[in-house]
Amino acid sequence: MKKIAQVNFLLLIFFAVMLLTSCTKGFIPESVEPTSSTNQGDTVTYQTHISKVIYNSCISCHGGSNPQGNLLLENYSQVRNSAESGMLIQRINDAADPMPTSGLLPAQTRALFDEWVQNGYLEN
Ligand code: HEC
């Protein structure tokens, strides 16, 4: 008699756990992957996103009267030209020979450039 009660108790716990897990599953939202690296869903433009990265990470060498690699990245058309040639995108993703020379930018920052290219190099 006692044994049957014990088995019933275990069964009860088993079903309670099943019920709980099956319920909570429905309430836990699927982890939301950011669809855009801007995290705001806004379109990447030169003015809003790209120029900031260039000014923070590139202009010290690719600006002024004697730019490194003979490459100026001071304005929209210069940055666009380098991106269109494929050179800029290649070098910011080149782990062996990265730009900036100090090391690869965070993946999310580099993804901004990919989006910018895909969206047709929007200026603003
Ligand atoms: C510390 C200085 C420095 C910084 C910062 C820097 N670069 Fe450069 N970059 C160079 C030098 C030096 C070269 C030429 C030698 C070479 O190609 O590695 C060069 C070359 C390049 C080239 C190839 C040009 C060509 O036509 O061969 C590209 C594209 C480039 N850089 C893009 C960038 C971008 C984009 C950034 C910022 C994300 C950046 N660089 C940041 C120093 C720098």
Side-chain angles (χ1 to χ4, degrees), residues 10-26:
L10 282 177
L11 269 176
L12 196 72
I13 289 181
F14 176 71
F15 282 119
V17 168
M18 288 288 283
L19 196 72
L20 265 174
T21 51
S22 66
C23 278
T24 48
K25 250 192 195 138

Side-chain angles (χ1 to χ4, degrees), residues 89-107 109-110:
I89 307 300
Q90 191 220 304
R91 291 299 297 272
I92 64 170
N93 293 297
D94 188 344
D97 200 8
M99 285 294 145
T101 49
S102 52
L104 290 177
L105 295 168
T109 307
R110 286 180 280 133

Side-chain angles (χ1 to χ4, degrees), residues 1-10:
M1 221 28 205
K2 224 177 175 188
K3 205 159 196 176
I4 290 172
Q6 255 175 9
V7 169
N8 276 343
F9 184 63
L10 282 177

